[in-house]
Structure formats: C-alpha cells, structure tokens
Amino acid sequence: GNKRKAEKMLREILTEYELKDGIVHSDTLMSDYVRLWLDQIRRTVDPVTLQGYQVLAETHIIPYFAEHEIRMEDIDTQIIQRYIDEKQLRGRCDGKGGLSPRSLRLHKNIITQALDMAVKEKLLLTNPCQFVIMPPIERHESKFYNASQLKKLFQALEEDPLLPVVKITVLYGLR
C-alpha cells in the first residue's frame, strides 16, 4: 500500500534529480563496460571487424582504463582526451613512441560506440567523445614519373627481364 507508493515516489524523485543535475551513478569500470560492449556487438558486426575491435580494445583500451580504475560515472571528455593524448605520445606496444592519428581515430571509434551504448542504457546522459580533439591526419602526396623519366627508366631496364613487369606496373598505376 502506502509503503510501495512512497518508495515509487522516492525512486521517481531521485531519478528526476539525477537526470536534472546530470548525475548518473554506476560503479561499473570502463574496462568492464568495453568488454560488455564487445560481447554485445558480436551479433551485429562482421567477424573480421569484431576481431579488429577486440585486438585494439584488449591491447590498449581495456588495460588503460583498468589500470586507472576509471568508473563509468567518472567518464568525461577530459578523461577520454587524456587517453588519446597519452596514446599519441607513447601508445605503441613496442615502446617506440606514439600512435598515428589514423590509429587514434580507430581507438576513439571503439570508445565512442561503447559510450553510445552506455547512453542508450542511461548510464551516461551524453557521450563525452563528441568533444574530444583529435590530431589531424597527415596527408601523403603521391609523386609520379613524367614521360621523360619513364623513357629513361625503360631505357635503363632495356635488357632486364623485369622490364615487362615494370611496364605493366606503370601502365596500370600500381605501386
């Protein structure tokens, strides 16, 4: 009777308070949540895609968030930004420097998808990844031989048995 009504009202008031102030309580670790996300997406992605996600998550993302014991309720843009910045400086597993901007985007993609699921499950109000600043991708400019350079190359390889292979490579623009 009255006790149930009072408990229901209390739950509603607490939920309203938490939503109004952006307070979400979850002592689930981010590392555990990424594992849960991997298990959830298993049904929706290609096996090769899943394998790529698993390798990145288990090699980089899960260990980082487990080591720092970051809980879902503590996740914010600064924490994700710190992760990206750390991996940019010294993210390689062999200890020889940081990860490329392209690799960092793959990491952010996994974190974004996991946190999107947390938003859907009402563990987070918004996804803090949307405000993370990513390093720019370095553009590689291709260089091509001109006609006179190709003529010199073909003349230099005139007696070489690889000349037909080189000509086919040039003809089809292969690298």
Side-chain angles (χ1 to χ4, degrees), residues 92-116:
R92 288 180 48 136
C93 292
D94 63 7
K96 295 182 179 177
L99 297 176
S100 72
R102 184 183 173 284
S103 293
L104 292 171
R105 277 173 169 63
L106 297 174
H107 286 234
K108 183 185 174 205
N109 179 40
I110 291 171
I111 295 169
T112 298
Q113 289 186 52
L115 295 181
D116 279 346

Side-chain angles (χ1 to χ4, degrees), residues 15 27 37 39 47 62 79 90-91 101 103 126 131-134 145 149 153 156 166 171-172:
T15 300
D27 59 355
W37 172 78
D39 193 50
I62 292 171
I79 288 172
R90 50 189 160 276
S103 293
T126 61
F131 302 111
V132 171
I133 298 166
M134 299 298 291
Y145 285 145
Q149 290 171 324
L153 177 64
V166 172
L171 179 67
Y172 289 104

Side-chain angles (χ1 to χ4, degrees), residues 10 27 52 68 74 125 161 173:
L10 178 62
D27 59 355
H68 292 86
D74 299 326
L125 296 175

Side-chain angles (χ1 to χ4, degrees), residues 23-81:
I23 301 167
V24 178
H25 297 286
S26 173
D27 59 355
T28 303
L29 291 175
M30 172 69 172
S31 53
D32 292 337
Y33 199 80
V34 172
R35 285 187 193 97
L36 176 68
W37 172 78
L38 282 169
D39 193 50
Q40 291 293 316
I41 63 155
R42 174 171 277 124
R43 297 184 282 284
T44 61
V45 298
D46 183 75
V48 174
T49 302
L50 178 63
Q51 183 181 19
Y53 287 164
Q54 286 173 323
V55 167
L56 278 179
E58 291 168 5
T59 307
H60 293 277
I61 298 168
I62 292 171
Y64 177 89
F65 287 101
E67 178 185 330
H68 292 86
E69 297 180 347
I70 297 171
R71 297 175 309 184
M72 290 301 290
E73 69 182 14
D74 299 326
I75 289 290
D76 61 16
T77 301
Q78 289 79 21
I79 288 172
I80 306 298
Q81 188 70 60

